Amino acid sequence: MSYHKHNNYIELDNVSFSYPRSRVIIKDITLQLVQNEFTALIGPNGGGKTTLGKLAIGILKPTSGKVFICGKDSTEMTLGEISRKIGYLFQNPQRQLFALTVAEDIAFSLEWNGGDRAERRIGIGTGTEIERKVNNMLELFQLEHLRDASPFSLSHGEKERVALAGIFINQLDYFVLDEPTTGLDIERKKILDNILNKFRTHGIGILAISHDEDLVAQHADRIIEIADGEIVYDHSERIRP
Ligand SMILES: Nc1ncnc2c1ncn2[C@@H]1O[C@H](COP(=O)(O)OP(=O)(O)OP(=O)(O)O)[C@@H](O)[C@H]1O
Ligand SMILES: [Mg+2]
C-alpha cells in the first residue's frame, strides 16, 4: 500500500492519459483538490474534462503518473471503496440509471455505501430508514409523481434529477459532478443551487465540470480551465470565510 500525505482530497501527480490507441488526452497534469472548496473545471469540448474527472475518481487509471484519493493510490482502491469517498455524476445521466423504477434507482446507490441488497429491496415501501431517505430525495428533486416510473421513460431533465438524487442520497465529503445542470430548468437549477449552498456550509467539496456560466459564477471558489489536455488557467476566486 502506498499512502501519501493526506491534506488533499484528490491529488493528481504528473498524470498523463491516452485511451487505447488514442492520442494523448491528458498531458502531465499535476493538481490538488481540497475538500472545503467548490472547484469548477471548464474548457472547450474535447479538451479532456470528462476524462480528467474519471481519472480523479479512479474509473480511469493514468497511463503515467499517479492519482491519490484521500492519500491512497487510486490503482490500489476498488471502485466500491472509492464510491464511499467520492460521489460521481456521469455527464450522461443514462449511464447511471438501470433499475426498474425511479425509487429503486435512487435507493440502489445506497448499496455501495455498505447497505445490503435484500434489505434495500424490502426496504422500499415499508417505513424503513432507506425508504425515508429515498422519500426525502424524491421530495427534494420533485420526483414524487415519478416514483414508480421507469427511469428510461423520463425526460432528460428528469433523468438528470434522478441521477443527482441517487448521488446525493449518500452523505459523502466530496462529489465530482460532470455537467450537473444539463437539462435542468430554472426552478430545478435553484434546487441544485440550494443543495450546493448547503454543501458549502458543511464543508463538502465539489469538482463541477460545467459549461454553465451561472453555476460557475455563483459557486466556484476556484476555476480551472483545461484545453487540449493541459491546464491553461487555475485561479482561486475567493477565500472562504
Ligand atoms: N473512449 C474513448 N476512446 C478514445 N478517445 C476518447 C474516448 N473518450 C473520449 N475520447 C477523446 O478524448 C478527448 C477528450 O474527451 P472528453 O470527453 O474528456 O472531453 P470534454 O472536455 O469532457 O468535452 P465536452 O465538453 O464535450 O464534454 C476527445 O477528443 C474525445 O474524442
Ligand atoms: Mg465532457
Side-chain angles (χ1 to χ4, degrees):
M1 292 270 176
S2 55
Y3 282 89
H4 205 67
K5 62 181 159 52
H6 181 170
N7 305 329
N8 303 313
Y9 207 84
I10 303 174
E11 184 170 333
L12 281 71
D13 284 357
N14 299 104
V15 168
S16 294
F17 180 80
S18 331
Y19 291 100
R21 291 179 299 283
S22 83
R23 65 198 164 81
V24 181
I25 304 294
I26 296 296
K27 300 173 180 167
D28 194 25
I29 284 185
T30 293
L31 182 64
Q32 292 92 33
L33 298 169
V34 297
Q35 191 189 322
N36 188 32
E37 204 162 66
F38 186 114
T39 303
L41 182 59
I42 63 168
N45 290 144
K49 301 180 301 296
T50 293
T51 305
L52 188 72
K54 288 180 177 172
L55 286 161
I57 58 133
I59 293 183
L60 295 175
K61 309 296 183 192
T63 309
S64 65
K66 282 198 181 302
V67 174
F68 295 94
I69 295 167
C70 298
K72 197 171 171 188
D73 188 331
S74 76
T75 60
E76 295 171 8
M77 300 173 81
T78 63
L79 290 182
E81 192 180 346
I82 294 169
S83 72
R84 287 187 284 276
K85 303 227 173 283
I86 306 172
Y88 179 64
L89 178 79
F90 281 89
Q91 181 165 7
N92 177 358
Q94 198 90 18
R95 286 290 306 276
Q96 50 207 98
L97 305 177
F98 41 80
L100 289 176
T101 72
V102 164
E104 276 181 28
D105 220 303
I106 294 170
F108 188 84
S109 60
L110 276 172
E111 179 162 357
W112 293 101
N113 250 10
D116 157 285
R117 185 189 295 239
E119 180 197 347
R120 179 144 315 100
R121 284 267 158 65
I122 300 159
I124 299 281
T126 54
T128 61
E129 178 73 6
I130 294 160
E131 195 208 7
R132 192 184 59 73
K133 284 185 178 176
V134 170
N135 285 342
N136 285 345
M137 283 296 145
L138 289 169
E139 192 185 339
L140 183 59
F141 285 97
Q142 300 177 347
L143 292 163
E144 287 148 307
H145 60 297
L146 296 168
R147 150 192 289 278
D148 298 317
S150 161
F152 297 99
S153 68
L154 305 181
S155 75
H156 185 66
E158 289 165 348
K159 282 180 186 159
E160 188 78 12
R161 278 146 59 204
V162 175
L164 284 165
I167 289 158
F168 293 152
I169 198 168
N170 292 306
Q171 293 179 339
L172 302 173
D173 293 328
Y174 205 97
F175 293 93
V176 174
L177 308 174
D178 199 341
E179 304 284 0
T181 60
T182 37
L184 299 190
D185 60 32
I186 290 170
E187 188 188 342
R188 277 49 177 253
K189 270 193 197 181
K190 286 216 180 85
I191 296 173
L192 182 63
D193 283 334
N194 290 337
I195 294 170
L196 294 173
N197 288 336
K198 205 175 284 173
F199 282 179
R200 164 180 297 274
T201 62
H202 288 90
I204 293 167
I206 299 280
L207 176 66
I209 298 166
S210 190
H211 295 287
D212 182 337
E213 289 177 13
D214 291 337
L215 182 86
V216 174
Q218 197 175 334
H219 296 285
D221 300 301
R222 178 183 180 191
I223 298 176
I224 298 172
E225 182 178 352
I226 65 168
D228 198 18
E230 291 179 297
I231 294 177
V232 295
Y233 179 87
D234 184 351
H235 184 69
S236 287
E237 294 295 301
R238 53 187 157 193
I239 307 296
R240 275 195 188 196

mmCIF file of all heavy atoms in Angstrom, residues 35-38 140-141 168 175 177 180-181 187-206 208 214-221 238 240-241:
data_model
loop_
_atom_site.group_PDB
_atom_site.id
_atom_site.type_symbol
_atom_site.label_atom_id
_atom_site.label_comp_id
_atom_site.label_asym_id
_atom_site.label_seq_id
_atom_site.Cartn_x
_atom_site.Cartn_y
_atom_site.Cartn_z
ATOM 1 N N GLN A 35 -10.893 19.532 0.183
ATOM 2 C CA GLN A 35 -12.289 19.209 0.458
ATOM 3 C C GLN A 35 -13.166 20.450 0.577
ATOM 4 O O GLN A 35 -14.254 20.506 0.025
ATOM 5 C CB GLN A 35 -12.378 18.381 1.739
ATOM 6 C CG GLN A 35 -13.761 17.798 1.934
ATOM 7 C CD GLN A 35 -13.916 17.174 3.290
ATOM 8 O OE1 GLN A 35 -12.990 16.561 3.802
ATOM 9 N NE2 GLN A 35 -15.091 17.318 3.863
ATOM 10 N N ASN A 36 -12.658 21.457 1.277
ATOM 11 C CA ASN A 36 -13.525 22.587 1.613
ATOM 12 C C ASN A 36 -13.571 23.611 0.480
ATOM 13 O O ASN A 36 -13.349 24.798 0.692
ATOM 14 C CB ASN A 36 -13.009 23.229 2.905
ATOM 15 C CG ASN A 36 -13.949 24.278 3.440
ATOM 16 O OD1 ASN A 36 -15.163 24.176 3.284
ATOM 17 N ND2 ASN A 36 -13.392 25.305 4.046
ATOM 18 N N GLU A 37 -13.884 23.150 -0.731
ATOM 19 C CA GLU A 37 -13.806 24.052 -1.870
ATOM 20 C C GLU A 37 -14.710 23.566 -3.008
ATOM 21 O O GLU A 37 -14.862 22.376 -3.214
ATOM 22 C CB GLU A 37 -12.346 24.104 -2.367
ATOM 23 C CG GLU A 37 -11.997 25.362 -3.117
ATOM 24 C CD GLU A 37 -10.481 25.562 -3.201
ATOM 25 O OE1 GLU A 37 -9.810 24.755 -3.865
ATOM 26 O OE2 GLU A 37 -9.985 26.522 -2.587
ATOM 27 N N PHE A 38 -15.272 24.537 -3.723
ATOM 28 C CA PHE A 38 -16.005 24.230 -4.951
ATOM 29 C C PHE A 38 -15.088 24.589 -6.110
ATOM 30 O O PHE A 38 -14.784 25.760 -6.331
ATOM 31 C CB PHE A 38 -17.290 25.061 -5.017
ATOM 32 C CG PHE A 38 -18.197 24.715 -6.174
ATOM 33 C CD1 PHE A 38 -19.447 24.159 -5.948
ATOM 34 C CD2 PHE A 38 -17.813 24.975 -7.486
ATOM 35 C CE1 PHE A 38 -20.296 23.843 -7.015
ATOM 36 C CE2 PHE A 38 -18.648 24.669 -8.550
ATOM 37 C CZ PHE A 38 -19.894 24.105 -8.314
ATOM 38 N N LEU A 140 -37.190 16.295 -2.479
ATOM 39 C CA LEU A 140 -36.212 17.358 -2.746
ATOM 40 C C LEU A 140 -36.128 17.671 -4.239
ATOM 41 O O LEU A 140 -36.094 18.827 -4.650
ATOM 42 C CB LEU A 140 -34.841 16.919 -2.211
ATOM 43 C CG LEU A 140 -33.680 17.904 -2.308
ATOM 44 C CD1 LEU A 140 -33.988 19.197 -1.571
ATOM 45 C CD2 LEU A 140 -32.417 17.265 -1.721
ATOM 46 N N PHE A 141 -36.114 16.629 -5.063
ATOM 47 C CA PHE A 141 -35.973 16.833 -6.509
ATOM 48 C C PHE A 141 -37.317 16.819 -7.242
ATOM 49 O O PHE A 141 -37.358 16.708 -8.461
ATOM 50 C CB PHE A 141 -35.017 15.785 -7.097
ATOM 51 C CG PHE A 141 -33.573 16.081 -6.779
ATOM 52 C CD1 PHE A 141 -32.943 15.467 -5.703
ATOM 53 C CD2 PHE A 141 -32.855 16.993 -7.542
ATOM 54 C CE1 PHE A 141 -31.622 15.758 -5.399
ATOM 55 C CE2 PHE A 141 -31.528 17.279 -7.252
ATOM 56 C CZ PHE A 141 -30.918 16.658 -6.175
ATOM 57 N N PHE A 168 -26.701 12.164 -4.252
ATOM 58 C CA PHE A 168 -26.745 12.947 -3.015
ATOM 59 C C PHE A 168 -27.403 12.192 -1.862
ATOM 60 O O PHE A 168 -27.346 12.633 -0.720
ATOM 61 C CB PHE A 168 -27.458 14.285 -3.247
ATOM 62 C CG PHE A 168 -26.699 15.221 -4.160
ATOM 63 C CD1 PHE A 168 -27.362 16.166 -4.929
ATOM 64 C CD2 PHE A 168 -25.308 15.163 -4.240
ATOM 65 C CE1 PHE A 168 -26.674 17.029 -5.758
ATOM 66 C CE2 PHE A 168 -24.601 16.023 -5.069
ATOM 67 C CZ PHE A 168 -25.284 16.955 -5.827
ATOM 68 N N PHE A 175 -17.868 15.374 -4.038
ATOM 69 C CA PHE A 175 -18.623 14.953 -5.218
ATOM 70 C C PHE A 175 -17.959 15.496 -6.479
ATOM 71 O O PHE A 175 -17.539 16.656 -6.510
ATOM 72 C CB PHE A 175 -20.055 15.481 -5.156
ATOM 73 C CG PHE A 175 -20.885 14.879 -4.056
ATOM 74 C CD1 PHE A 175 -20.976 15.490 -2.815
ATOM 75 C CD2 PHE A 175 -21.565 13.684 -4.257
ATOM 76 C CE1 PHE A 175 -21.728 14.932 -1.786
ATOM 77 C CE2 PHE A 175 -22.326 13.119 -3.234
ATOM 78 C CZ PHE A 175 -22.413 13.745 -1.997
ATOM 79 N N LEU A 177 -19.056 16.209 -10.228
ATOM 80 C CA LEU A 177 -20.302 16.323 -10.994
ATOM 81 C C LEU A 177 -19.972 16.772 -12.410
ATOM 82 O O LEU A 177 -19.457 17.867 -12.617
ATOM 83 C CB LEU A 177 -21.227 17.348 -10.328
ATOM 84 C CG LEU A 177 -21.500 17.157 -8.827
ATOM 85 C CD1 LEU A 177 -22.326 18.334 -8.285
ATOM 86 C CD2 LEU A 177 -22.223 15.839 -8.575
ATOM 87 N N PRO A 180 -23.643 19.035 -14.177
ATOM 88 C CA PRO A 180 -24.820 18.741 -13.342
ATOM 89 C C PRO A 180 -26.075 19.524 -13.705
ATOM 90 O O PRO A 180 -27.153 19.154 -13.253
ATOM 91 C CB PRO A 180 -24.355 19.115 -11.926
ATOM 92 C CG PRO A 180 -23.275 20.113 -12.120
ATOM 93 C CD PRO A 180 -22.587 19.723 -13.395
ATOM 94 N N THR A 181 -25.968 20.583 -14.501
ATOM 95 C CA THR A 181 -27.176 21.381 -14.784
ATOM 96 C C THR A 181 -27.768 21.114 -16.163
ATOM 97 O O THR A 181 -28.771 21.724 -16.513
ATOM 98 C CB THR A 181 -26.902 22.899 -14.662
ATOM 99 O OG1 THR A 181 -25.891 23.267 -15.599
ATOM 100 C CG2 THR A 181 -26.452 23.280 -13.269
ATOM 101 N N GLU A 187 -36.212 26.494 -12.294
ATOM 102 C CA GLU A 187 -36.659 26.113 -10.953
ATOM 103 C C GLU A 187 -35.800 24.982 -10.382
ATOM 104 O O GLU A 187 -35.420 24.995 -9.215
ATOM 105 C CB GLU A 187 -38.132 25.676 -11.025
ATOM 106 C CG GLU A 187 -38.746 25.436 -9.684
ATOM 107 C CD GLU A 187 -40.146 24.829 -9.799
ATOM 108 O OE1 GLU A 187 -40.758 24.915 -10.897
ATOM 109 O OE2 GLU A 187 -40.616 24.255 -8.810
ATOM 110 N N ARG A 188 -35.486 23.984 -11.225
ATOM 111 C CA ARG A 188 -34.711 22.836 -10.749
ATOM 112 C C ARG A 188 -33.236 23.195 -10.565
ATOM 113 O O ARG A 188 -32.534 22.593 -9.759
ATOM 114 C CB ARG A 188 -34.871 21.650 -11.693
ATOM 115 C CG ARG A 188 -36.122 20.827 -11.434
ATOM 116 C CD ARG A 188 -37.375 21.682 -11.314
ATOM 117 N NE ARG A 188 -38.586 20.937 -11.139
ATOM 118 C CZ ARG A 188 -39.511 20.798 -12.092
ATOM 119 N NH1 ARG A 188 -39.376 21.390 -13.268
ATOM 120 N NH2 ARG A 188 -40.585 20.090 -11.841
ATOM 121 N N LYS A 189 -32.768 24.181 -11.348
ATOM 122 C CA LYS A 189 -31.405 24.668 -11.098
ATOM 123 C C LYS A 189 -31.317 25.296 -9.712
ATOM 124 O O LYS A 189 -30.310 25.169 -9.022
ATOM 125 C CB LYS A 189 -31.016 25.729 -12.138
ATOM 126 C CG LYS A 189 -30.359 25.163 -13.372
ATOM 127 C CD LYS A 189 -29.726 26.301 -14.167
ATOM 128 C CE LYS A 189 -29.433 25.847 -15.573
ATOM 129 N NZ LYS A 189 -28.791 26.906 -16.364
ATOM 130 N N LYS A 190 -32.402 25.968 -9.316
ATOM 131 C CA LYS A 190 -32.414 26.592 -7.976
ATOM 132 C C LYS A 190 -32.331 25.530 -6.888
ATOM 133 O O LYS A 190 -31.689 25.736 -5.861
ATOM 134 C CB LYS A 190 -33.684 27.430 -7.792
ATOM 135 C CG LYS A 190 -33.667 28.728 -8.567
ATOM 136 C CD LYS A 190 -34.355 29.858 -7.782
ATOM 137 C CE LYS A 190 -34.345 31.159 -8.566
ATOM 138 N NZ LYS A 190 -35.498 31.251 -9.524
ATOM 139 N N ILE A 191 -33.003 24.393 -7.127
ATOM 140 C CA ILE A 191 -32.925 23.294 -6.153
ATOM 141 C C ILE A 191 -31.473 22.859 -6.007
ATOM 142 O O ILE A 191 -30.960 22.695 -4.893
ATOM 143 C CB ILE A 191 -33.806 22.097 -6.606
ATOM 144 C CG1 ILE A 191 -35.283 22.504 -6.629
ATOM 145 C CG2 ILE A 191 -33.571 20.893 -5.704
ATOM 146 C CD1 ILE A 191 -36.194 21.441 -7.224
ATOM 147 N N LEU A 192 -30.823 22.696 -7.146
ATOM 148 C CA LEU A 192 -29.415 22.295 -7.104
ATOM 149 C C LEU A 192 -28.557 23.369 -6.423
ATOM 150 O O LEU A 192 -27.688 23.052 -5.605
ATOM 151 C CB LEU A 192 -28.910 22.014 -8.529
ATOM 152 C CG LEU A 192 -27.454 21.547 -8.634
ATOM 153 C CD1 LEU A 192 -27.231 20.215 -7.928
ATOM 154 C CD2 LEU A 192 -27.025 21.443 -10.100
ATOM 155 N N ASP A 193 -28.828 24.628 -6.746
ATOM 156 C CA ASP A 193 -28.095 25.728 -6.096
ATOM 157 C C ASP A 193 -28.214 25.643 -4.579
ATOM 158 O O ASP A 193 -27.237 25.823 -3.853
ATOM 159 C CB ASP A 193 -28.641 27.093 -6.561
ATOM 160 C CG ASP A 193 -28.145 27.466 -7.946
ATOM 161 O OD1 ASP A 193 -27.062 26.980 -8.343
ATOM 162 O OD2 ASP A 193 -28.838 28.234 -8.634
ATOM 163 N N ASN A 194 -29.433 25.395 -4.109
ATOM 164 C CA ASN A 194 -29.651 25.311 -2.656
ATOM 165 C C ASN A 194 -28.858 24.170 -2.034
ATOM 166 O O ASN A 194 -28.294 24.314 -0.951
ATOM 167 C CB ASN A 194 -31.137 25.123 -2.344
ATOM 168 C CG ASN A 194 -31.939 26.381 -2.645
ATOM 169 O OD1 ASN A 194 -31.377 27.478 -2.680
ATOM 170 N ND2 ASN A 194 -33.227 26.226 -2.881
ATOM 171 N N ILE A 195 -28.842 23.029 -2.750
ATOM 172 C CA ILE A 195 -28.083 21.888 -2.236
ATOM 173 C C ILE A 195 -26.599 22.236 -2.176
ATOM 174 O O ILE A 195 -25.919 21.980 -1.181
ATOM 175 C CB ILE A 195 -28.302 20.647 -3.137
ATOM 176 C CG1 ILE A 195 -29.764 20.193 -3.042
ATOM 177 C CG2 ILE A 195 -27.349 19.522 -2.754
ATOM 178 C CD1 ILE A 195 -30.149 19.140 -4.060
ATOM 179 N N LEU A 196 -26.115 22.870 -3.235
ATOM 180 C CA LEU A 196 -24.688 23.211 -3.283
ATOM 181 C C LEU A 196 -24.332 24.236 -2.205
ATOM 182 O O LEU A 196 -23.255 24.168 -1.608
ATOM 183 C CB LEU A 196 -24.313 23.718 -4.678
ATOM 184 C CG LEU A 196 -24.432 22.662 -5.791
ATOM 185 C CD1 LEU A 196 -24.210 23.296 -7.159
ATOM 186 C CD2 LEU A 196 -23.461 21.506 -5.569
ATOM 187 N N ASN A 197 -25.256 25.159 -1.946
ATOM 188 C CA ASN A 197 -25.014 26.125 -0.864
ATOM 189 C C ASN A 197 -24.945 25.431 0.489
ATOM 190 O O ASN A 197 -24.133 25.772 1.347
ATOM 191 C CB ASN A 197 -26.105 27.196 -0.848
ATOM 192 C CG ASN A 197 -25.972 28.161 -2.011
ATOM 193 O OD1 ASN A 197 -24.885 28.334 -2.563
ATOM 194 N ND2 ASN A 197 -27.074 28.781 -2.410
ATOM 195 N N LYS A 198 -25.822 24.441 0.658
ATOM 196 C CA LYS A 198 -25.822 23.684 1.914
ATOM 197 C C LYS A 198 -24.517 22.898 2.056
ATOM 198 O O LYS A 198 -23.918 22.836 3.129
ATOM 199 C CB LYS A 198 -27.025 22.736 1.936
ATOM 200 C CG LYS A 198 -27.477 22.368 3.329
ATOM 201 C CD LYS A 198 -28.740 21.522 3.315
ATOM 202 C CE LYS A 198 -30.009 22.306 3.033
ATOM 203 N NZ LYS A 198 -31.184 21.425 2.867
ATOM 204 N N PHE A 199 -24.063 22.314 0.953
ATOM 205 C CA PHE A 199 -22.790 21.590 0.971
ATOM 206 C C PHE A 199 -21.666 22.516 1.416
ATOM 207 O O PHE A 199 -20.789 22.138 2.173
ATOM 208 C CB PHE A 199 -22.461 21.050 -0.423
ATOM 209 C CG PHE A 199 -23.225 19.810 -0.792
ATOM 210 C CD1 PHE A 199 -23.038 19.216 -2.036
ATOM 211 C CD2 PHE A 199 -24.117 19.219 0.088
ATOM 212 C CE1 PHE A 199 -23.730 18.071 -2.387
ATOM 213 C CE2 PHE A 199 -24.821 18.073 -0.257
ATOM 214 C CZ PHE A 199 -24.615 17.498 -1.503
ATOM 215 N N ARG A 200 -21.701 23.744 0.915
ATOM 216 C CA ARG A 200 -20.663 24.720 1.266
ATOM 217 C C ARG A 200 -20.601 24.915 2.774
ATOM 218 O O ARG A 200 -19.529 24.883 3.362
ATOM 219 C CB ARG A 200 -20.968 26.048 0.574
ATOM 220 C CG ARG A 200 -20.221 27.247 1.141
ATOM 221 C CD ARG A 200 -20.605 28.500 0.387
ATOM 222 N NE ARG A 200 -20.202 28.405 -0.999
ATOM 223 C CZ ARG A 200 -18.997 28.726 -1.447
ATOM 224 N NH1 ARG A 200 -18.104 29.198 -0.613
ATOM 225 N NH2 ARG A 200 -18.688 28.586 -2.705
ATOM 226 N N THR A 201 -21.785 25.074 3.393
ATOM 227 C CA THR A 201 -21.780 25.318 4.839
ATOM 228 C C THR A 201 -21.308 24.085 5.612
ATOM 229 O O THR A 201 -20.847 24.208 6.729
ATOM 230 C CB THR A 201 -23.174 25.751 5.365
ATOM 231 O OG1 THR A 201 -24.090 24.687 5.123
ATOM 232 C CG2 THR A 201 -23.661 27.008 4.685
ATOM 233 N N HIS A 202 -21.416 22.919 4.992
ATOM 234 C CA HIS A 202 -20.946 21.705 5.660
ATOM 235 C C HIS A 202 -19.528 21.318 5.235
ATOM 236 O O HIS A 202 -19.040 20.244 5.592
ATOM 237 C CB HIS A 202 -21.907 20.539 5.383
ATOM 238 C CG HIS A 202 -23.212 20.670 6.112
ATOM 239 N ND1 HIS A 202 -24.292 21.320 5.571
ATOM 240 C CD2 HIS A 202 -23.591 20.262 7.345
ATOM 241 C CE1 HIS A 202 -25.290 21.297 6.438
ATOM 242 N NE2 HIS A 202 -24.895 20.669 7.520
ATOM 243 N N GLY A 203 -18.909 22.170 4.421
ATOM 244 C CA GLY A 203 -17.523 21.899 4.023
ATOM 245 C C GLY A 203 -17.364 20.721 3.083
ATOM 246 O O GLY A 203 -16.312 20.079 3.031
ATOM 247 N N ILE A 204 -18.425 20.416 2.326
ATOM 248 C CA ILE A 204 -18.349 19.309 1.383
ATOM 249 C C ILE A 204 -17.744 19.815 0.073
ATOM 250 O O ILE A 204 -18.118 20.875 -0.422
ATOM 251 C CB ILE A 204 -19.759 18.723 1.151
ATOM 252 C CG1 ILE A 204 -20.241 18.058 2.450
ATOM 253 C CG2 ILE A 204 -19.774 17.752 -0.020
ATOM 254 C CD1 ILE A 204 -21.704 17.719 2.468
ATOM 255 N N GLY A 205 -16.784 19.083 -0.441
ATOM 256 C CA GLY A 205 -16.051 19.515 -1.628
ATOM 257 C C GLY A 205 -16.750 19.125 -2.920
ATOM 258 O O GLY A 205 -17.427 18.098 -2.987
ATOM 259 N N ILE A 206 -16.575 19.973 -3.935
ATOM 260 C CA ILE A 206 -17.181 19.706 -5.232
ATOM 261 C C ILE A 206 -16.155 19.965 -6.334
ATOM 262 O O ILE A 206 -15.462 20.986 -6.305
ATOM 263 C CB ILE A 206 -18.385 20.656 -5.499
ATOM 264 C CG1 ILE A 206 -19.485 20.488 -4.452
ATOM 265 C CG2 ILE A 206 -18.922 20.479 -6.920
ATOM 266 C CD1 ILE A 206 -20.392 19.305 -4.659
ATOM 267 N N ALA A 208 -16.924 20.477 -10.122
ATOM 268 C CA ALA A 208 -18.028 20.532 -11.086
ATOM 269 C C ALA A 208 -17.464 20.847 -12.459
ATOM 270 O O ALA A 208 -16.830 21.877 -12.658
ATOM 271 C CB ALA A 208 -19.046 21.584 -10.676
ATOM 272 N N ASP A 214 -23.480 30.496 -15.184
ATOM 273 C CA ASP A 214 -24.169 30.904 -13.954
ATOM 274 C C ASP A 214 -23.733 30.033 -12.778
ATOM 275 O O ASP A 214 -23.453 30.529 -11.690
ATOM 276 C CB ASP A 214 -25.689 30.775 -14.103
ATOM 277 C CG ASP A 214 -26.246 31.808 -15.071
ATOM 278 O OD1 ASP A 214 -25.569 32.844 -15.266
ATOM 279 O OD2 ASP A 214 -27.322 31.563 -15.630
ATOM 280 N N LEU A 215 -23.684 28.724 -13.024
ATOM 281 C CA LEU A 215 -23.284 27.798 -11.958
ATOM 282 C C LEU A 215 -21.876 28.140 -11.473
ATOM 283 O O LEU A 215 -21.616 28.224 -10.271
ATOM 284 C CB LEU A 215 -23.330 26.352 -12.476
ATOM 285 C CG LEU A 215 -22.969 25.291 -11.433
ATOM 286 C CD1 LEU A 215 -24.200 24.898 -10.635
ATOM 287 C CD2 LEU A 215 -22.360 24.058 -12.071
ATOM 288 N N VAL A 216 -20.989 28.352 -12.430
ATOM 289 C CA VAL A 216 -19.593 28.633 -12.095
ATOM 290 C C VAL A 216 -19.497 29.959 -11.334
ATOM 291 O O VAL A 216 -18.862 30.041 -10.281
ATOM 292 C CB VAL A 216 -18.727 28.658 -13.374
ATOM 293 C CG1 VAL A 216 -17.297 29.091 -13.043
ATOM 294 C CG2 VAL A 216 -18.735 27.286 -14.046
ATOM 295 N N ALA A 217 -20.183 30.992 -11.865
ATOM 296 C CA ALA A 217 -20.102 32.317 -11.235
ATOM 297 C C ALA A 217 -20.668 32.276 -9.824
ATOM 298 O O ALA A 217 -20.150 32.910 -8.908
ATOM 299 C CB ALA A 217 -20.855 33.343 -12.071
ATOM 300 N N GLN A 218 -21.727 31.510 -9.639
ATOM 301 C CA GLN A 218 -22.392 31.504 -8.346
ATOM 302 C C GLN A 218 -21.643 30.701 -7.274
ATOM 303 O O GLN A 218 -21.682 31.054 -6.108
ATOM 304 C CB GLN A 218 -23.814 30.952 -8.506
ATOM 305 C CG GLN A 218 -24.688 31.296 -7.318
ATOM 306 C CD GLN A 218 -26.132 30.854 -7.552
ATOM 307 O OE1 GLN A 218 -26.584 30.737 -8.678
ATOM 308 N NE2 GLN A 218 -26.830 30.593 -6.473
ATOM 309 N N HIS A 219 -20.981 29.635 -7.682
ATOM 310 C CA HIS A 219 -20.460 28.718 -6.667
ATOM 311 C C HIS A 219 -18.938 28.573 -6.606
ATOM 312 O O HIS A 219 -18.413 28.166 -5.571
ATOM 313 C CB HIS A 219 -21.059 27.319 -6.869
ATOM 314 C CG HIS A 219 -22.536 27.264 -6.685
ATOM 315 N ND1 HIS A 219 -23.137 27.319 -5.447
ATOM 316 C CD2 HIS A 219 -23.545 27.190 -7.580
ATOM 317 C CE1 HIS A 219 -24.453 27.264 -5.596
ATOM 318 N NE2 HIS A 219 -24.731 27.192 -6.887
ATOM 319 N N ALA A 220 -18.252 28.854 -7.697
ATOM 320 C CA ALA A 220 -16.841 28.433 -7.750
ATOM 321 C C ALA A 220 -15.949 29.239 -6.807
ATOM 322 O O ALA A 220 -15.969 30.466 -6.800
ATOM 323 C CB ALA A 220 -16.316 28.525 -9.172
ATOM 324 N N ASP A 221 -15.162 28.515 -6.013
ATOM 325 C CA ASP A 221 -14.079 29.125 -5.251
ATOM 326 C C ASP A 221 -12.818 29.161 -6.104
ATOM 327 O O ASP A 221 -11.944 29.982 -5.906
ATOM 328 C CB ASP A 221 -13.767 28.283 -4.002
ATOM 329 C CG ASP A 221 -14.960 28.159 -3.089
ATOM 330 O OD1 ASP A 221 -15.460 29.196 -2.643
ATOM 331 O OD2 ASP A 221 -15.396 27.015 -2.834
ATOM 332 N N ARG A 238 -12.178 33.227 -4.614
ATOM 333 C CA ARG A 238 -12.430 33.844 -3.313
ATOM 334 C C ARG A 238 -11.916 32.940 -2.224
ATOM 335 O O ARG A 238 -11.792 31.740 -2.392
ATOM 336 C CB ARG A 238 -13.920 34.111 -3.110
ATOM 337 C CG ARG A 238 -14.752 32.874 -3.331
ATOM 338 C CD ARG A 238 -16.225 33.169 -3.287
ATOM 339 N NE ARG A 238 -16.940 32.132 -4.018
ATOM 340 C CZ ARG A 238 -18.195 32.219 -4.367
ATOM 341 N NH1 ARG A 238 -18.902 33.267 -4.065
ATOM 342 N NH2 ARG A 238 -18.782 31.241 -5.021
ATOM 343 N N ARG A 240 -12.601 31.342 1.292
ATOM 344 C CA ARG A 240 -13.761 31.073 2.152
ATOM 345 C C ARG A 240 -13.583 31.657 3.527
ATOM 346 O O ARG A 240 -12.496 31.599 4.088
ATOM 347 C CB ARG A 240 -13.936 29.561 2.304
ATOM 348 C CG ARG A 240 -14.717 29.008 1.166
ATOM 349 C CD ARG A 240 -15.179 27.635 1.520
ATOM 350 N NE ARG A 240 -15.768 27.046 0.331
ATOM 351 C CZ ARG A 240 -16.533 25.987 0.358
ATOM 352 N NH1 ARG A 240 -16.804 25.386 1.482
ATOM 353 N NH2 ARG A 240 -17.037 25.512 -0.745
ATOM 354 N N PRO A 241 -14.646 32.191 4.078
ATOM 355 C CA PRO A 241 -14.558 32.706 5.452
ATOM 356 C C PRO A 241 -14.272 31.572 6.429
ATOM 357 O O PRO A 241 -14.635 30.447 6.176
ATOM 358 C CB PRO A 241 -15.915 33.334 5.734
ATOM 359 C CG PRO A 241 -16.848 32.719 4.733
ATOM 360 C CD PRO A 241 -16.013 32.319 3.548
#
